[in-house]
Amino acid sequence: MDNPLLDDQPHPAFSRIRPEHVEPAVETLIAEGRRLIERLTAATEAATWDAFVQPIEEEDDRLARAWSPVSHLNAVMSSDALRAAYNACLPKLSEYGTEVGHNELLYRGYKQVYDTDALDPAQRKMLSNALRDMHLAGVDLPPAAKARFKEINTELSRLGSTFEEHLLDATNGWHKQLTDEADLAGLPESARELARHFATERDLEGWVLTLDVPSYLPVMKYAHCTALRRELYEAYTTRASDQGPHAGRWDNTQIIEDLLALRHEQATLLGFDNFAQVSLEPKMARSTDEVMGFLEDLAHRCAPQARRELEALQTFAVGNGGPDSLEAWDIPYWSERLRQSQHAISDEELKPYFSLDRVLDGMFQVAERLFGVFITSAAGETDTWHPDVRFYRIADDNGELIAQFYLDPFSRQRKRGGAWMDVCTNRLISACRQQLPTAYLVCNFTPPVNGQPTLLTHDDVQTLFHEFGHGLHHMLTRVDYPAVAGINGVPWDAVELPSQFLENWCWEREALDLFAYHWETDEPLPESLYQRMRSARNFQSAMQTVRQLEFALFDFRLHLEYDPAQGSRLQQILDEVRGQLSPIQPPAFNRFAHGFSHIFAGGYAAGYYSYKWAELLAADAFSLFEERGVFDAASGRAFREHILERGGSAEPMELYVAFRGREPSIDTLLRQTGIIGLMPATH
Ligand SMILES: [Zn+2]
């Protein structure tokens, strides 16, 4: 069969890809990969990079190149047949991945190359990552320990999905019907519509509120009725626990206990003291002390301002007919009222200044001025999946082509929501291949209607800059080995640096002057509107920071301090963290941990701190431009050279220090989030 997924073209032939091509292509490439690894690992004594590692890397890249357009199309142009083909391949790919990760002969071959070949630093980093990941997967354990390790893996994945199922069942298992419209007082029209829709769906009169976030959040933020907020708050914060309206049903208590015990056991099988150490192995943070120090120092310095912010909120509430003592279910509601009274700024006021084409043009100019690259449209130069899709080239200042990207800006039927960047092709330069990186940038903006261009909210503009930051990290790479080129091999506590870093330019007058003009009058964004935008940016920033730190410290301590003799001490650690940090103590029935799927069902175990860590890096990196000018070319080039071009080819702290001249400092993070006037912690 002529299969476009197996064609060796620079870019996928999107218009020719059919669902029936998917499985045969994936099966062919997996079989080829197996044969290659089998042949190469038959004799590993004299393995070298060129004869052993490079061929495997190129074969992996073939599979990645075939799979990328499939998973991309499944996200942006889905059909039932394509989804079926995609789903049929997932277990095959995951089985193949596990098999390769557990291949002892491959491990031995990599080790041989690592120990004996003369490698460049990027090659060395790629191999040390591979050896580390295989070690963490248990490849070099003695037989009995390895068998136990695998058994635990199976059990962990079962527990993770049960945790998630319980949470889902508990979320879906509760709703509240309202028949008197007066009870909905305060709710915006969109939330009422959703509540009517939920009622119709259930053949009920009136309105139905649920624990789904789009239904729950507007109630917490806008509903005037305190009893209603309290009722939803209790139902939401006791999901899948021993408390609340469904106490004991779908209870995650034992699952959490088992997950923590098994993670700890795996850590000890690998020779670590605890699971927090395992989590940090592939990350930027170098030790558990470093993470705890960072979180506690930040917490210590934010706490006083968080208390002041809460006091201000309390005063505002009392002055406006609110309760004398705010409860947990009052905070979002009164915060929203305070925000509106202080910083009333609506999306509608700002949107006319952010027309899509102008924002794109401005964003490309920002990249040009900072990084010395030139972005031009290459419409019509390649096959795409939809007429709305645009295609661009990125060239260096000498005109040399560096990378290309697709932009799929508008929402449509059968396209997944949200915005993201994904890899189409990796940079791969070898004796037999010269392949440049290509990215997909996907957004879901409203298509232009009635001669009016697409107008973005300021949030949309930030999202666009964010994803473009990821895109530049992928595309400006100078690393020739796919496994550590671009965003590949970048630890996930460091991978948000370029994206969050670039968002800063949406807030700077000098940058906004490149693109924020009224689409009808061409008038620049008025200074008064700009100042209101800036002042709203850091509203209650200390309270929000403290909340994130509470999650991060709870997650990290839970995994760091686990002791098999005592069990998880879940509530004790949670209470300690809250006692130390929170300006407001949640009610005793609150079972926040039972719904914390990031760490119990997702990949964030002992890694939730990454969110704040990434903010620290982005704020500290941007502070160089605050010192030297928003468009300081030398600093922009340094960021390109040390961060964007190097990708995953070196330790991220090393790269960061090469760019910034020092390690990141939390002072800059505090200053940028408007938390000021505090001395560094003395402990
Ligand atoms: Zn991101």
mmCIF file of all heavy atoms in Angstrom, residues 363-364 366-368 370-371 461-473 496-508 511 515 537 618-619 621-622 631 639 644:
data_model
loop_
_atom_site.group_PDB
_atom_site.id
_atom_site.type_symbol
_atom_site.label_atom_id
_atom_site.label_comp_id
_atom_site.label_asym_id
_atom_site.label_seq_id
_atom_site.Cartn_x
_atom_site.Cartn_y
_atom_site.Cartn_z
ATOM 1 N N MET A 363 3.841 40.082 17.698
ATOM 2 C CA MET A 363 4.549 39.007 18.393
ATOM 3 C C MET A 363 5.790 38.584 17.595
ATOM 4 O O MET A 363 6.860 38.347 18.173
ATOM 5 C CB MET A 363 3.598 37.825 18.582
ATOM 6 C CG MET A 363 4.198 36.667 19.349
ATOM 7 S SD MET A 363 2.943 35.444 19.780
ATOM 8 C CE MET A 363 2.763 34.590 18.216
ATOM 9 N N PHE A 364 5.661 38.521 16.282
ATOM 10 C CA PHE A 364 6.819 38.157 15.455
ATOM 11 C C PHE A 364 7.895 39.242 15.546
ATOM 12 O O PHE A 364 9.089 38.947 15.596
ATOM 13 C CB PHE A 364 6.399 37.945 13.994
ATOM 14 C CG PHE A 364 5.428 36.797 13.804
ATOM 15 C CD1 PHE A 364 4.650 36.698 12.647
ATOM 16 C CD2 PHE A 364 5.296 35.813 14.769
ATOM 17 C CE1 PHE A 364 3.761 35.645 12.474
ATOM 18 C CE2 PHE A 364 4.407 34.760 14.608
ATOM 19 C CZ PHE A 364 3.635 34.681 13.447
ATOM 20 N N VAL A 366 8.429 41.104 18.158
ATOM 21 C CA VAL A 366 9.070 40.928 19.468
ATOM 22 C C VAL A 366 10.178 39.876 19.345
ATOM 23 O O VAL A 366 11.310 40.077 19.801
ATOM 24 C CB VAL A 366 8.029 40.519 20.543
ATOM 25 C CG1 VAL A 366 8.717 40.044 21.819
ATOM 26 C CG2 VAL A 366 7.085 41.683 20.845
ATOM 27 N N ALA A 367 9.852 38.747 18.686
ATOM 28 C CA ALA A 367 10.851 37.680 18.517
ATOM 29 C C ALA A 367 12.030 38.165 17.676
ATOM 30 O O ALA A 367 13.189 37.840 17.969
ATOM 31 C CB ALA A 367 10.213 36.458 17.872
ATOM 32 N N GLU A 368 11.744 38.962 16.660
ATOM 33 C CA GLU A 368 12.825 39.467 15.812
ATOM 34 C C GLU A 368 13.760 40.366 16.596
ATOM 35 O O GLU A 368 14.982 40.234 16.523
ATOM 36 C CB GLU A 368 12.237 40.240 14.619
ATOM 37 C CG GLU A 368 11.579 39.310 13.610
ATOM 38 C CD GLU A 368 10.813 40.068 12.504
ATOM 39 O OE1 GLU A 368 11.012 41.300 12.374
ATOM 40 O OE2 GLU A 368 10.032 39.420 11.811
ATOM 41 N N LEU A 370 14.178 40.580 19.868
ATOM 42 C CA LEU A 370 14.877 39.916 20.971
ATOM 43 C C LEU A 370 15.913 38.921 20.475
ATOM 44 O O LEU A 370 17.024 38.862 20.982
ATOM 45 C CB LEU A 370 13.874 39.174 21.858
ATOM 46 C CG LEU A 370 12.996 40.006 22.772
ATOM 47 C CD1 LEU A 370 11.973 39.114 23.464
ATOM 48 C CD2 LEU A 370 13.848 40.728 23.820
ATOM 49 N N PHE A 371 15.520 38.111 19.513
ATOM 50 C CA PHE A 371 16.359 36.947 19.192
ATOM 51 C C PHE A 371 17.045 37.036 17.832
ATOM 52 O O PHE A 371 17.785 36.132 17.450
ATOM 53 C CB PHE A 371 15.515 35.665 19.269
ATOM 54 C CG PHE A 371 14.740 35.534 20.555
ATOM 55 C CD1 PHE A 371 13.367 35.288 20.552
ATOM 56 C CD2 PHE A 371 15.380 35.668 21.775
ATOM 57 C CE1 PHE A 371 12.651 35.190 21.739
ATOM 58 C CE2 PHE A 371 14.674 35.567 22.976
ATOM 59 C CZ PHE A 371 13.312 35.332 22.952
ATOM 60 N N VAL A 461 -4.190 36.872 24.224
ATOM 61 C CA VAL A 461 -2.891 37.368 23.756
ATOM 62 C C VAL A 461 -1.775 36.691 24.549
ATOM 63 O O VAL A 461 -0.779 36.220 23.992
ATOM 64 C CB VAL A 461 -2.801 38.911 23.895
ATOM 65 C CG1 VAL A 461 -1.420 39.412 23.495
ATOM 66 C CG2 VAL A 461 -3.888 39.587 23.063
ATOM 67 N N GLN A 462 -1.980 36.598 25.877
ATOM 68 C CA GLN A 462 -0.965 35.930 26.710
ATOM 69 C C GLN A 462 -0.796 34.472 26.325
ATOM 70 O O GLN A 462 0.312 33.948 26.290
ATOM 71 C CB GLN A 462 -1.402 35.964 28.178
ATOM 72 C CG GLN A 462 -1.055 37.236 28.868
ATOM 73 C CD GLN A 462 -1.307 37.084 30.360
ATOM 74 O OE1 GLN A 462 -0.460 36.606 31.099
ATOM 75 N NE2 GLN A 462 -2.478 37.475 30.800
ATOM 76 N N THR A 463 -1.927 33.798 26.063
ATOM 77 C CA THR A 463 -1.872 32.392 25.657
ATOM 78 C C THR A 463 -1.055 32.235 24.378
ATOM 79 O O THR A 463 -0.222 31.335 24.255
ATOM 80 C CB THR A 463 -3.307 31.865 25.416
ATOM 81 O OG1 THR A 463 -4.044 32.043 26.620
ATOM 82 C CG2 THR A 463 -3.306 30.416 25.032
ATOM 83 N N LEU A 464 -1.304 33.136 23.430
ATOM 84 C CA LEU A 464 -0.580 33.080 22.163
ATOM 85 C C LEU A 464 0.921 33.246 22.386
ATOM 86 O O LEU A 464 1.736 32.479 21.869
ATOM 87 C CB LEU A 464 -1.124 34.187 21.259
ATOM 88 C CG LEU A 464 -0.770 34.148 19.784
ATOM 89 C CD1 LEU A 464 -1.259 32.862 19.144
ATOM 90 C CD2 LEU A 464 -1.409 35.348 19.071
ATOM 91 N N PHE A 465 1.312 34.233 23.186
ATOM 92 C CA PHE A 465 2.729 34.440 23.488
ATOM 93 C C PHE A 465 3.298 33.218 24.218
ATOM 94 O O PHE A 465 4.420 32.796 23.968
ATOM 95 C CB PHE A 465 2.926 35.706 24.344
ATOM 96 C CG PHE A 465 3.042 36.972 23.532
ATOM 97 C CD1 PHE A 465 1.978 37.444 22.788
ATOM 98 C CD2 PHE A 465 4.232 37.695 23.514
ATOM 99 C CE1 PHE A 465 2.082 38.609 22.037
ATOM 100 C CE2 PHE A 465 4.353 38.865 22.766
ATOM 101 C CZ PHE A 465 3.277 39.326 22.031
ATOM 102 N N HIS A 466 2.526 32.666 25.134
ATOM 103 C CA HIS A 466 2.969 31.501 25.908
ATOM 104 C C HIS A 466 3.310 30.339 24.967
ATOM 105 O O HIS A 466 4.405 29.774 25.020
ATOM 106 C CB HIS A 466 1.860 31.103 26.894
ATOM 107 C CG HIS A 466 2.201 29.925 27.748
ATOM 108 N ND1 HIS A 466 2.615 30.043 29.053
ATOM 109 C CD2 HIS A 466 2.198 28.591 27.492
ATOM 110 C CE1 HIS A 466 2.867 28.841 29.553
ATOM 111 N NE2 HIS A 466 2.608 27.934 28.630
ATOM 112 N N GLU A 467 2.363 30.004 24.103
ATOM 113 C CA GLU A 467 2.584 28.857 23.214
ATOM 114 C C GLU A 467 3.700 29.150 22.210
ATOM 115 O O GLU A 467 4.464 28.257 21.839
ATOM 116 C CB GLU A 467 1.292 28.471 22.490
ATOM 117 C CG GLU A 467 0.159 28.025 23.423
ATOM 118 C CD GLU A 467 0.568 26.934 24.408
ATOM 119 O OE1 GLU A 467 1.486 26.151 24.095
ATOM 120 O OE2 GLU A 467 -0.018 26.889 25.513
ATOM 121 N N PHE A 468 3.798 30.410 21.785
ATOM 122 C CA PHE A 468 4.873 30.766 20.869
ATOM 123 C C PHE A 468 6.236 30.636 21.562
ATOM 124 O O PHE A 468 7.225 30.258 20.933
ATOM 125 C CB PHE A 468 4.660 32.187 20.332
ATOM 126 C CG PHE A 468 5.520 32.513 19.148
ATOM 127 C CD1 PHE A 468 5.493 31.719 18.006
ATOM 128 C CD2 PHE A 468 6.358 33.624 19.153
ATOM 129 C CE1 PHE A 468 6.285 32.016 16.911
ATOM 130 C CE2 PHE A 468 7.150 33.930 18.054
ATOM 131 C CZ PHE A 468 7.116 33.133 16.935
ATOM 132 N N GLY A 469 6.269 30.906 22.874
ATOM 133 C CA GLY A 469 7.503 30.718 23.646
ATOM 134 C C GLY A 469 7.933 29.252 23.625
ATOM 135 O O GLY A 469 9.097 28.927 23.383
ATOM 136 N N HIS A 470 6.970 28.335 23.845
ATOM 137 C CA HIS A 470 7.285 26.905 23.709
ATOM 138 C C HIS A 470 7.773 26.614 22.288
ATOM 139 O O HIS A 470 8.720 25.857 22.085
ATOM 140 C CB HIS A 470 6.035 26.059 23.960
ATOM 141 C CG HIS A 470 5.663 25.914 25.410
ATOM 142 N ND1 HIS A 470 6.545 25.501 26.368
ATOM 143 C CD2 HIS A 470 4.477 26.107 26.048
ATOM 144 C CE1 HIS A 470 5.930 25.451 27.548
ATOM 145 N NE2 HIS A 470 4.677 25.819 27.377
ATOM 146 N N GLY A 471 7.082 27.212 21.321
ATOM 147 C CA GLY A 471 7.426 26.978 19.916
ATOM 148 C C GLY A 471 8.857 27.407 19.619
ATOM 149 O O GLY A 471 9.619 26.675 18.973
ATOM 150 N N LEU A 472 9.263 28.580 20.103
ATOM 151 C CA LEU A 472 10.626 29.051 19.837
ATOM 152 C C LEU A 472 11.664 28.148 20.509
ATOM 153 O O LEU A 472 12.744 27.927 19.979
ATOM 154 C CB LEU A 472 10.789 30.496 20.329
ATOM 155 C CG LEU A 472 10.022 31.540 19.517
ATOM 156 C CD1 LEU A 472 10.095 32.906 20.200
ATOM 157 C CD2 LEU A 472 10.559 31.639 18.084
ATOM 158 N N HIS A 473 11.320 27.629 21.684
ATOM 159 C CA HIS A 473 12.228 26.697 22.371
ATOM 160 C C HIS A 473 12.446 25.468 21.488
ATOM 161 O O HIS A 473 13.555 24.958 21.361
ATOM 162 C CB HIS A 473 11.582 26.288 23.706
ATOM 163 C CG HIS A 473 12.542 25.752 24.723
ATOM 164 N ND1 HIS A 473 12.110 25.150 25.882
ATOM 165 C CD2 HIS A 473 13.887 25.717 24.776
ATOM 166 C CE1 HIS A 473 13.156 24.782 26.593
ATOM 167 N NE2 HIS A 473 14.245 25.110 25.946
ATOM 168 N N GLU A 496 8.699 25.267 31.267
ATOM 169 C CA GLU A 496 7.813 26.425 31.133
ATOM 170 C C GLU A 496 8.570 27.757 31.158
ATOM 171 O O GLU A 496 7.963 28.817 31.102
ATOM 172 C CB GLU A 496 6.734 26.426 32.228
ATOM 173 C CG GLU A 496 5.745 25.280 32.146
ATOM 174 C CD GLU A 496 4.868 25.302 30.887
ATOM 175 O OE1 GLU A 496 4.624 26.401 30.354
ATOM 176 O OE2 GLU A 496 4.464 24.218 30.434
ATOM 177 N N LEU A 497 9.901 27.699 31.250
ATOM 178 C CA LEU A 497 10.656 28.960 31.287
ATOM 179 C C LEU A 497 10.436 29.810 30.033
ATOM 180 O O LEU A 497 10.003 30.952 30.132
ATOM 181 C CB LEU A 497 12.148 28.684 31.550
ATOM 182 C CG LEU A 497 13.122 29.826 31.253
ATOM 183 C CD1 LEU A 497 12.790 31.076 32.067
ATOM 184 C CD2 LEU A 497 14.569 29.414 31.559
ATOM 185 N N PRO A 498 10.692 29.292 28.818
ATOM 186 C CA PRO A 498 10.546 30.170 27.646
ATOM 187 C C PRO A 498 9.113 30.664 27.437
ATOM 188 O O PRO A 498 8.908 31.796 27.002
ATOM 189 C CB PRO A 498 10.983 29.281 26.481
ATOM 190 C CG PRO A 498 11.845 28.235 27.095
ATOM 191 C CD PRO A 498 11.268 27.985 28.447
ATOM 192 N N SER A 499 8.127 29.826 27.775
ATOM 193 C CA SER A 499 6.740 30.213 27.530
ATOM 194 C C SER A 499 6.297 31.314 28.492
ATOM 195 O O SER A 499 5.753 32.337 28.087
ATOM 196 C CB SER A 499 5.837 28.991 27.650
ATOM 197 O OG SER A 499 6.057 28.318 28.870
ATOM 198 N N GLN A 500 6.561 31.110 29.789
ATOM 199 C CA GLN A 500 6.160 32.131 30.762
ATOM 200 C C GLN A 500 6.988 33.400 30.606
ATOM 201 O O GLN A 500 6.512 34.507 30.832
ATOM 202 C CB GLN A 500 6.292 31.586 32.181
ATOM 203 C CG GLN A 500 5.361 30.405 32.402
ATOM 204 C CD GLN A 500 5.090 30.148 33.873
ATOM 205 O OE1 GLN A 500 5.443 30.942 34.736
ATOM 206 N NE2 GLN A 500 4.461 29.035 34.164
ATOM 207 N N PHE A 501 8.236 33.226 30.227
ATOM 208 C CA PHE A 501 9.137 34.355 29.977
ATOM 209 C C PHE A 501 8.551 35.269 28.893
ATOM 210 O O PHE A 501 8.444 36.476 29.069
ATOM 211 C CB PHE A 501 10.488 33.775 29.548
ATOM 212 C CG PHE A 501 11.476 34.739 28.975
ATOM 213 C CD1 PHE A 501 12.190 35.601 29.804
ATOM 214 C CD2 PHE A 501 11.735 34.762 27.605
ATOM 215 C CE1 PHE A 501 13.137 36.469 29.268
ATOM 216 C CE2 PHE A 501 12.675 35.626 27.079
ATOM 217 C CZ PHE A 501 13.378 36.490 27.904
ATOM 218 N N LEU A 502 8.124 34.680 27.776
ATOM 219 C CA LEU A 502 7.642 35.492 26.655
ATOM 220 C C LEU A 502 6.335 36.224 26.984
ATOM 221 O O LEU A 502 6.060 37.283 26.438
ATOM 222 C CB LEU A 502 7.477 34.624 25.401
ATOM 223 C CG LEU A 502 7.608 35.377 24.071
ATOM 224 C CD1 LEU A 502 8.996 35.979 23.906
ATOM 225 C CD2 LEU A 502 7.277 34.483 22.888
ATOM 226 N N GLU A 503 5.539 35.645 27.897
ATOM 227 C CA GLU A 503 4.283 36.312 28.286
ATOM 228 C C GLU A 503 4.515 37.732 28.791
ATOM 229 O O GLU A 503 3.648 38.588 28.665
ATOM 230 C CB GLU A 503 3.598 35.535 29.425
ATOM 231 C CG GLU A 503 2.874 34.288 29.006
ATOM 232 C CD GLU A 503 2.246 33.610 30.226
ATOM 233 O OE1 GLU A 503 1.821 34.315 31.163
ATOM 234 O OE2 GLU A 503 2.205 32.364 30.236
ATOM 235 N N ASN A 504 5.701 37.980 29.375
ATOM 236 C CA ASN A 504 5.964 39.306 29.938
ATOM 237 C C ASN A 504 5.809 40.426 28.923
ATOM 238 O O ASN A 504 5.459 41.548 29.284
ATOM 239 C CB ASN A 504 7.382 39.352 30.522
ATOM 240 C CG ASN A 504 7.462 38.596 31.827
ATOM 241 O OD1 ASN A 504 6.855 38.987 32.808
ATOM 242 N ND2 ASN A 504 8.195 37.491 31.826
ATOM 243 N N TRP A 505 6.065 40.111 27.652
ATOM 244 C CA TRP A 505 6.014 41.169 26.640
ATOM 245 C C TRP A 505 4.578 41.605 26.325
ATOM 246 O O TRP A 505 4.375 42.591 25.654
ATOM 247 C CB TRP A 505 6.797 40.750 25.387
ATOM 248 C CG TRP A 505 8.248 41.068 25.573
ATOM 249 C CD1 TRP A 505 8.899 42.180 25.136
ATOM 250 C CD2 TRP A 505 9.233 40.307 26.287
ATOM 251 N NE1 TRP A 505 10.217 42.165 25.545
ATOM 252 C CE2 TRP A 505 10.448 41.024 26.242
ATOM 253 C CE3 TRP A 505 9.204 39.091 26.985
ATOM 254 C CZ2 TRP A 505 11.614 40.565 26.854
ATOM 255 C CZ3 TRP A 505 10.366 38.636 27.581
ATOM 256 C CH2 TRP A 505 11.551 39.356 27.522
ATOM 257 N N CYS A 506 3.583 40.840 26.825
ATOM 258 C CA CYS A 506 2.185 41.293 26.658
ATOM 259 C C CYS A 506 1.839 42.385 27.639
ATOM 260 O O CYS A 506 0.739 42.920 27.618
ATOM 261 C CB CYS A 506 1.196 40.172 26.932
ATOM 262 S SG CYS A 506 1.470 38.713 26.042
ATOM 263 N N TRP A 507 2.737 42.647 28.594
ATOM 264 C CA TRP A 507 2.430 43.600 29.659
ATOM 265 C C TRP A 507 3.267 44.867 29.562
ATOM 266 O O TRP A 507 3.149 45.748 30.408
ATOM 267 C CB TRP A 507 2.677 42.934 31.028
ATOM 268 C CG TRP A 507 1.733 41.820 31.332
ATOM 269 C CD1 TRP A 507 1.948 40.492 31.133
ATOM 270 C CD2 TRP A 507 0.417 41.927 31.880
ATOM 271 N NE1 TRP A 507 0.854 39.769 31.522
ATOM 272 C CE2 TRP A 507 -0.099 40.628 31.995
ATOM 273 C CE3 TRP A 507 -0.370 43.010 32.293
ATOM 274 C CZ2 TRP A 507 -1.367 40.365 32.495
ATOM 275 C CZ3 TRP A 507 -1.637 42.753 32.800
ATOM 276 C CH2 TRP A 507 -2.121 41.438 32.896
ATOM 277 N N GLU A 508 4.160 44.937 28.578
ATOM 278 C CA GLU A 508 5.074 46.077 28.487
ATOM 279 C C GLU A 508 4.588 47.070 27.448
ATOM 280 O O GLU A 508 4.267 46.695 26.320
ATOM 281 C CB GLU A 508 6.480 45.575 28.114
ATOM 282 C CG GLU A 508 7.130 44.736 29.196
ATOM 283 C CD GLU A 508 7.274 45.493 30.508
ATOM 284 O OE1 GLU A 508 7.663 46.680 30.472
ATOM 285 O OE2 GLU A 508 6.992 44.898 31.572
ATOM 286 N N ALA A 511 6.243 46.994 24.053
ATOM 287 C CA ALA A 511 5.869 45.858 23.206
ATOM 288 C C ALA A 511 4.435 46.033 22.707
ATOM 289 O O ALA A 511 4.136 45.803 21.529
ATOM 290 C CB ALA A 511 6.007 44.555 23.984
ATOM 291 N N PHE A 515 1.655 46.431 18.606
ATOM 292 C CA PHE A 515 0.473 45.751 18.058
ATOM 293 C C PHE A 515 -0.878 46.153 18.642
ATOM 294 O O PHE A 515 -1.907 45.825 18.064
ATOM 295 C CB PHE A 515 0.629 44.227 18.172
ATOM 296 C CG PHE A 515 0.814 43.696 19.569
ATOM 297 C CD1 PHE A 515 -0.280 43.405 20.373
ATOM 298 C CD2 PHE A 515 2.085 43.463 20.077
ATOM 299 C CE1 PHE A 515 -0.114 42.905 21.657
ATOM 300 C CE2 PHE A 515 2.266 42.964 21.366
ATOM 301 C CZ PHE A 515 1.157 42.687 22.156
ATOM 302 N N ARG A 537 -3.329 43.215 37.460
ATOM 303 C CA ARG A 537 -2.515 42.012 37.254
ATOM 304 C C ARG A 537 -2.159 41.312 38.558
ATOM 305 O O ARG A 537 -2.163 40.099 38.653
ATOM 306 C CB ARG A 537 -1.229 42.397 36.511
ATOM 307 C CG ARG A 537 -0.359 41.233 36.140
ATOM 308 C CD ARG A 537 0.942 41.712 35.500
ATOM 309 N NE ARG A 537 1.715 40.574 35.014
ATOM 310 C CZ ARG A 537 2.933 40.684 34.504
ATOM 311 N NH1 ARG A 537 3.507 41.869 34.393
ATOM 312 N NH2 ARG A 537 3.577 39.612 34.099
ATOM 313 N N ALA A 618 11.047 32.280 35.107
ATOM 314 C CA ALA A 618 10.579 33.244 34.111
ATOM 315 C C ALA A 618 10.704 34.671 34.642
ATOM 316 O O ALA A 618 11.139 35.578 33.923
ATOM 317 C CB ALA A 618 9.141 32.937 33.721
ATOM 318 N N ALA A 619 10.340 34.867 35.920
ATOM 319 C CA ALA A 619 10.407 36.214 36.491
ATOM 320 C C ALA A 619 11.856 36.676 36.596
ATOM 321 O O ALA A 619 12.193 37.818 36.270
ATOM 322 C CB ALA A 619 9.754 36.238 37.879
ATOM 323 N N ALA A 621 14.430 35.615 34.841
ATOM 324 C CA ALA A 621 14.984 35.834 33.500
ATOM 325 C C ALA A 621 14.519 37.189 32.973
ATOM 326 O O ALA A 621 15.303 37.965 32.415
ATOM 327 C CB ALA A 621 14.546 34.721 32.551
ATOM 328 N N PHE A 622 13.249 37.504 33.185
ATOM 329 C CA PHE A 622 12.730 38.771 32.674
ATOM 330 C C PHE A 622 13.341 39.969 33.395
ATOM 331 O O PHE A 622 13.478 41.047 32.814
ATOM 332 C CB PHE A 622 11.199 38.812 32.789
ATOM 333 C CG PHE A 622 10.608 40.056 32.215
ATOM 334 C CD1 PHE A 622 10.697 40.317 30.848
ATOM 335 C CD2 PHE A 622 9.989 40.991 33.028
ATOM 336 C CE1 PHE A 622 10.175 41.483 30.307
ATOM 337 C CE2 PHE A 622 9.464 42.166 32.491
ATOM 338 C CZ PHE A 622 9.559 42.405 31.131
ATOM 339 N N PHE A 631 13.777 45.602 25.193
ATOM 340 C CA PHE A 631 14.254 45.029 23.931
ATOM 341 C C PHE A 631 15.777 45.024 23.864
ATOM 342 O O PHE A 631 16.349 45.154 22.785
ATOM 343 C CB PHE A 631 13.646 45.784 22.744
ATOM 344 C CG PHE A 631 12.204 45.411 22.518
ATOM 345 C CD1 PHE A 631 11.201 46.354 22.662
ATOM 346 C CD2 PHE A 631 11.856 44.110 22.181
ATOM 347 C CE1 PHE A 631 9.869 45.998 22.468
ATOM 348 C CE2 PHE A 631 10.523 43.749 21.987
ATOM 349 C CZ PHE A 631 9.526 44.693 22.129
ATOM 350 N N PHE A 639 19.661 34.929 25.796
ATOM 351 C CA PHE A 639 18.586 33.970 26.094
ATOM 352 C C PHE A 639 18.476 32.951 24.967
ATOM 353 O O PHE A 639 18.324 31.753 25.199
ATOM 354 C CB PHE A 639 17.252 34.713 26.273
ATOM 355 C CG PHE A 639 16.157 33.842 26.837
ATOM 356 C CD1 PHE A 639 16.075 33.601 28.203
ATOM 357 C CD2 PHE A 639 15.208 33.244 26.005
ATOM 358 C CE1 PHE A 639 15.078 32.792 28.730
ATOM 359 C CE2 PHE A 639 14.201 32.436 26.524
ATOM 360 C CZ PHE A 639 14.138 32.208 27.895
ATOM 361 N N LEU A 644 17.324 28.860 24.517
ATOM 362 C CA LEU A 644 16.533 28.351 23.390
ATOM 363 C C LEU A 644 17.333 27.403 22.497
ATOM 364 O O LEU A 644 16.831 26.376 22.066
ATOM 365 C CB LEU A 644 15.984 29.523 22.567
ATOM 366 C CG LEU A 644 15.062 30.485 23.326
ATOM 367 C CD1 LEU A 644 14.657 31.661 22.435
ATOM 368 C CD2 LEU A 644 13.805 29.758 23.819
#
